Structure formats: C-alpha cells, structure tokens
Amino acid sequence: MKPNHPPHKIYLLPNLMTAGNLICGFLAVLRIFQGTIDRSGGGENWIQIYESSLTFILYACIFDMLDGQVARRGGTESPFGREFDSLADIVSFGVAPALLVFEIVLKEIPFRLGWILAAFYLMCGALRLARFNVHASLPSVPGASKEFTGFPIPAAAGLVSSITLLMLYYYETDRELERGWGKYLLAALLFFLSIMMFSRFKYPSFKGFSLRTEHSLGKFIATVALLFLTIVYYHWMLAVVFVSYLLYGFFRPFVSRALRRQIEEEDDDDEDDAPLFKDLPPSR
C-alpha cells in the first residue's frame, strides 16, 4: 500500500527533475520564437534553431522519465508532485510541440486548419493530463500503474519531435519544406496522436524498470546496441523508437504474456516496488 503523504509535502529530488522538464519546455518555446524570427528575416540558421528546440523537448522527456523513477524508488510520490508534473507536461509536451509544428508547417495550410489542428492537439493533451490526475487520485487497481490507457502525452510529443527532426534533416530550404509531403504528414500525425491519447489501447508504463532490474546478457547487449545506434544516428533512430512504441500498442494484445513480461519488465511480486532509500529520511 502506498504511503499516505500530506498533500502539501514537497520532496526535493523528484520535483527537481520535474522542474528540469518544465525549464526544457520553456527553453524549447523560446527557441521556436527565435527560429521563427530568423526564418522570417531571411536568416540561414532557422533550421538549427528549430532543431535545438526539438532537442529541449526530447530532454524534457528524459526529465519526465527520471522524476517518476526517483519518486517511486525513493518512496516520495505525493499529490503535489503529481500536479506539478502535469503542469510541466502541458508546457513541454503540449504547448511546445503544437507551437513548433504550427510554426514549421501548419501555418501554411489554408483555411486556418493549421490553427485548429495545433489547438486540438493542445486541448487533447490537457484533457488527458486532467483525466490521468483524476484516475490517480482514485483507489488504485492492482496492475493498473503498469500501463497507460491511451498514448501518453510525453510519447506523443517525442514522436512529433522526432519526425519533425527527421524532416528538418532532409529539407534544407523553406521551399522544399512547403512543397514537400512533410507538412501534410505532420498535420495528419498531430491529429492522429490527439485521437490516440484518448484511445483504449494499452501502453506499458515501464514502471517496473529500474537500476535494480536484472537482465540477461543478450538483453543487455541489445539494449546497449540500441542506445548506441540512437545516439549516433539520432536524426532517424529517435523516430524509429517512438514509432515502435506507438505500434506496440496495436500489437500488444496479440503478444504472449511471457514475452510481454520480458519486454515490459513486469514482475509478479512487489519487491522491486519498494523504495531504494527506505532506510533514509525523505529527500525532499
């Protein structure tokens, strides 16, 4: 049973990770505005500036993953941390991706459909976060914390950002970007992910994964190889990773229980859910 933390309790380490998420989202928005100014002024560095904003969004994904791990492993989950995390998420994974895609391609779509698509994605992201917080405040169901219902908004932002990064890698001028198929792909992707955030597909939360999780040698080598490829070929490997996660939700019902447990790091007992620092005082 989860400890009953006072609502006002503020723990340092997990909330520092959440603050990092929020700051990365804010910096991403600033870089988007700078890229737009450079682009409209005929500058030559707007692609690099937009790429840096994408990098900040992806950094926010990492901070979002770390804050949950630190809170769970330290036994420092709290209502305050949950609300703070959602506020940071709406900036980093709602406002920043919607604004980025709008500034790059959606504003060129006629009849202001680009405005509508960007606003629709942002609204769906905010509603999903609100629904998540409501469900998190209800009595927990065994095993429910190990999966998400619908595509999680950090993954949606990561997918949009990685596909946009891939497009900017191949398109080098405004004219190529405006005449290419990319703007229609991004528009369709943004709409599709908005719907997926409220779908009934189940996605693993990977909350069973931690530094204490044991792996076979083959799985360890495969993980290191994937990490190496992602770092070296990040322009397209990030898109591969996020697209694979999206597609996994469609095929997950057909995957055997044993294979699913191996992929999702599930454990039948709750031993791994015990805090790593259970003998230490709270860190925040």
Side-chain angles (χ1 to χ4, degrees), residues 143-157:
S145 64
K146 296 183 180 180
E147 61 183 17
F148 298 115
T149 300
F151 200 56
I153 188 173

Side-chain angles (χ1 to χ4, degrees), residues 187-203:
L189 179 63
L190 210 63
F191 178 76
F192 176 70
L193 291 177
S194 302
I195 300 300
M196 282 298 297
M197 284 192 281
F198 281 93
S199 69
R200 305 304 299 174
F201 290 100
K202 304 289 186 179
Y203 285 89

Side-chain angles (χ1 to χ4, degrees), residues 9-271:
K9 201 75 172 180
I10 301 177
Y11 298 98
L12 179 62
L13 288 181
N15 283 312
L16 278 179
M17 299 296 103
T18 304
N21 170 7
L22 179 59
I23 291 172
C24 285
F26 175 67
L27 293 176
V29 172
L30 289 182
R31 296 299 285 171
I32 293 167
F33 285 131
Q34 292 173 359
T36 301
I37 294 172
D38 185 81
R39 185 181 182 184
S40 60
E44 299 179 353
N45 298 320
W46 61 272
I47 288 183
Q48 290 76 16
I49 297 174
Y50 280 147
E51 285 182 345
S52 67
S53 70
L54 291 166
T55 302
F56 280 122
I57 294 174
L58 295 171
Y59 284 159
C61 291
I62 296 176
F63 276 114
D64 184 67
M65 177 184 66
L66 290 177
D67 68 2
Q69 283 289 334
V70 171
R72 285 188 296 273
R73 296 302 156 180
T76 53
E77 293 179 286
S78 69
F80 177 90
R82 182 173 64 244
E83 298 298 330
F84 185 28
D85 183 69
S86 292
L87 292 174
D89 286 354
I90 195 58
V91 175
S92 300
F93 309 133
V95 174
L99 181 61
L100 178 67
V101 176
F102 174 79
E103 288 293 340
I104 293 177
V105 293
L106 292 186
K107 65 181 180 182
E108 304 297 334
I109 298 179
F111 307 111
R112 296 188 177 180
L113 291 178
W115 291 79
I116 297 174
L117 285 173
F120 183 65
Y121 171 84
L122 179 59
M123 180 184 66
C124 288
L127 290 174
R128 175 181 170 78
L129 289 170
R131 184 184 70 173
F132 177 83
N133 284 351
V134 169
H135 288 177
S137 64
L138 299 176
S140 59
V141 178
S145 64
K146 296 183 180 180
E147 61 183 17
F148 298 115
T149 300
F151 200 56
I153 188 173
L159 180 53
V160 169
S161 300
S162 60
I163 295 295
T164 307
L165 183 66
L166 185 61
M167 283 180 51
L168 292 177
Y169 180 70
Y170 284 105
Y171 291 125
E172 297 181 352
T173 65
D174 273 350
R175 181 165 298 182
E176 289 180 1
L177 196 60
E178 292 171 2
R179 291 184 176 180
W181 50 266
K183 64 180 180 181
Y184 301 106
L185 171 65
L186 279 181
L189 179 63
L190 210 63
F191 178 76
F192 176 70
L193 291 177
S194 302
I195 300 300
M196 282 298 297
M197 284 192 281
F198 281 93
S199 69
R200 305 304 299 174
F201 290 100
K202 304 289 186 179
Y203 285 89
S205 64
F206 295 109
K207 291 183 179 180
F209 177 80
S210 72
L211 296 176
R212 299 172 59 182
T213 305
E214 297 181 359
H215 303 281
S216 65
L217 179 60
K219 193 172 184 179
F220 173 76
I221 294 175
T223 303
V224 171
L226 178 62
L227 182 61
F228 175 78
L229 289 174
T230 303
I231 294 174
V232 175
Y233 303 105
Y234 68 94
H235 280 107
W236 57 272
M237 270 301 297
L238 286 171
V240 170
V241 171
F242 283 109
V243 169
S244 299
Y245 183 63
L246 174 67
L247 295 178
Y248 180 69
F250 295 99
F251 294 103
R252 189 172 182 257
F254 307 102
V255 178
S256 67
R257 178 62 180 170
L259 180 58
R260 187 189 303 176
R261 287 182 57 193
Q262 292 182 10
I263 295 174
E264 301 175 14
E265 305 293 345
E266 290 183 0
D267 198 345
D268 288 336
D269 56 47
D270 295 324
E271 182 178 354

